[in-house]
Amino acid sequence: MLIPLDAVEGQGPYDCCVVGAGPAGIALSLDLAARGRRVLLCEGGGFDIEPEAQAMFRAEVIGDPYHDLSYFRTRAFGGTTAMWGGWCRPLDAIDFEPKPHHPLAHWPIRREDLDPFLPAALKLVEVDAFPPDEPVGDSGLQRFEFRWSPPTRFGEAYRAAVVENPTIFLCLNANALRVAADDRRVTGVVLADFGGRRAVAAAETYVVAAGGIENSRLLLWSNETSNGRVVKRADALGRYWMDHPTFTIGEFVAFRETDGVYFSLTPERQRALGLLNCSLRFYRHPNAPLAEMLDDLGAVAPELAAWARPLIGRDDVHGGHLQASWEQEPRAENRVALSDRDVDRFGAPLSVLRWTKSGEDLITMQRTALIFCRHLAETNIGRVRLRDWALGLADYPLNDDLTGNHHMGGTRMADSPALGVVDANLKVHGQPNLYVAGSSTFPSGGYANPTVTILQLALRLAAHIDAGLPARG
């Protein structure tokens, strides 16, 4: 049911208070309610995107060129699914595994721990199951598939299910100012709306699900205002932040159909080379200048170019761009911090994102791309001309996608509070009743869009929280 802020304290007791009504918060709340739990769901925006709510997302970026963080996030019911493209794929099993060459790029759980929650996650985004990946001979490459959600706009698709549920109490424009705690546990969340009203939400358990940057900002500010009582060991808080670098890396000429084909290295080849995960995809362009591209090819492979020229006009002879999207290594210096000069309308510091790509990030893409290009040449599928920057001969281009806008890390999952904020069950280290949900908990990111994994983690968290609460009377 929908409640105003001044009714929050009178509708308790709540089994769980969830901060943030994006896909993680909505999926978690619906699942807990289905288990008979009373949930307070607090959203900092309304049902529609409003300027005063979006202004809370103003942020500074220091480091490599990046996107406007107030544009690529949505502070409204449904979260950033309002602008989501619908790309769906769970992380690969290897993304969870320990990696000797990248000791921080692994999870304290395995993909098998999330597999039971995959069917329900896919149902939420309205997509079918995935076929197994297909190795490409002995090339060390594999073909894989994405699935595309309609895309499911959670703010529209699940509005009625939330508002009409008698055990979900949805409070809109309820901005979480800080998490409050004593020496033993979290005691409440201080909320405020844009009209000046305030309330304190009290529950048995609390889940921060405010987004891949806001989770860190809220916990950093809560720690500062509570003298460190919220995240009791904050070594990793805000740190190890990641995105998926996403760029066009070259042009291709192909002599076979390539539409809808995606490639990555097999897990065995990744392990052997000590590389992180990287996806490659053809983008075919009907108007690609094939004659000019074959002229360029003739400079290095004259016989092949001469063979291909008479075939121009056939549907299976075409050209286009090769795009890569890949995994970043987790680095402590990539982090969300609090601004020392800019505050939101409630007086809390805004976010500062410090983010750069490393030399290791470039190597992940380069070596994957070179193996792929060699395979195309050896099998005569086609040829790729990699751009100078992709070979390390120039700076990254500015007129490209830059990243996937996939905000990961900052409250990462780890066995130890020295390297993470939450444990394998998403519980904040040292806090018996505080959890974090969303991609901010990812210790590594693979190449897959994070939405499906976010939902799997949220559904797994709902089962964990339910099991830890007193039995329903």
Side-chain angles (χ1 to χ4, degrees), residues 173-192:
N173 297 307
N175 297 277
L177 305 189
R178 59 185 177 87
V179 177
D182 58 24
D183 291 332
R184 296 182 301 110
R185 59 195 285 120
V186 168
T187 58
V189 177
V190 179
L191 305 169

Side-chain angles (χ1 to χ4, degrees), residues 54-79:
Q54 285 300 109
M56 299 284 288
F57 280 161
R58 289 182 293 114
E60 180 184 6
V61 179
I62 298 173
D64 286 356
Y66 201 75
H67 311 282
D68 183 344
L69 289 172
S70 65
Y71 178 79
F72 282 98
R73 298 183 288 165
T74 303
R75 197 178 185 93
F77 183 76

Side-chain angles (χ1 to χ4, degrees), residues 196-430:
R197 292 175 295 184
R198 296 200 174 201
V200 177
E204 286 293 319
T205 57
Y206 301 84
V207 179
V208 175
I213 292 177
E214 288 298 288
N215 282 355
S216 292
R217 180 169 89 106
L218 176 58
L219 292 177
L220 284 164
W221 183 234
S222 298
N223 236 30
E224 189 166 318
T225 55
S226 70
N227 197 27
R229 288 189 178 92
V230 176
V231 182
K232 296 184 178 181
R233 184 168 173 185
D235 307 50
L237 180 56
R239 296 186 178 274
Y240 304 102
W241 197 90
M242 304 167 291
D243 202 326
H244 291 132
T246 302
F247 290 88
T248 297
I249 63 172
E251 288 70 44
F252 73 86
V253 177
F255 313 125
R256 301 183 197 171
E257 185 55 60
T258 60
D259 276 355
V261 181
Y262 302 83
F263 293 90
S264 66
L265 295 180
T266 62
E268 295 76 17
R269 180 60 68 89
Q270 281 187 59
R271 294 188 193 100
L273 296 176
L275 295 178
L276 295 175
N277 220 341
C278 175
S279 69
L280 300 170
R281 46 197 166 200
F282 289 111
Y283 278 101
R284 179 176 177 176
H285 296 291
N287 298 321
L290 274 179
E292 295 177 21
M293 296 171 78
L294 289 174
D295 286 344
D296 291 342
L297 178 61
V300 292
E303 293 182 3
L304 178 63
W307 168 80
R309 282 190 185 95
L311 304 180
I312 293 177
R314 280 179 29 175
D315 190 58
D316 55 351
V317 178
H318 55 278
H321 294 150
L322 182 67
Q323 189 181 67
S325 185
W326 66 95
E327 180 176 5
Q328 277 198 285
E329 62 169 340
R331 292 188 296 135
E333 56 265 40
N334 282 342
R335 64 190 182 100
V336 178
L338 296 178
S339 174
D340 58 6
R341 62 184 184 187
D342 296 322
V343 298
D344 64 24
R345 65 179 298 164
F346 301 106
L350 293 172
S351 299
V352 175
L353 175 62
R354 298 179 181 271
W355 179 79
T356 59
K357 299 179 289 295
S358 72
E360 191 67 26
D361 295 339
L362 185 63
I363 288 171
T364 291
M365 180 275 293
Q366 282 179 340
R367 298 192 68 181
T368 302
L370 289 170
I371 292 169
F372 180 71
C373 293
R374 183 167 60 247
H375 168 69
L376 294 185
E378 290 174 349
T379 57
N380 209 33
I381 293 173
R383 296 293 189 276
V384 174
R385 179 179 61 195
L386 292 176
R387 295 182 177 180
D388 286 349
W389 74 264
L391 296 170
L393 302 176
D395 292 335
Y396 282 88
L398 299 178
N399 58 338
D400 211 323
D401 288 347
L402 305 182
T403 72
N405 289 301
H406 302 149
H407 303 163
M408 300 171 288
T411 66
R412 72 195 306 264
M413 184 192 296
D415 288 326
S416 165
L419 295 174
V421 174
V422 301
D423 65 14
N425 292 314
L426 302 181
K427 185 176 71 67
V428 172
H429 287 291

Side-chain angles (χ1 to χ4, degrees), residues 456-469:
Q456 289 177 276
L457 285 167
L459 296 170
R460 179 173 178 264
L461 177 57
H464 175 77
I465 289 175
D466 178 64
L469 288 168

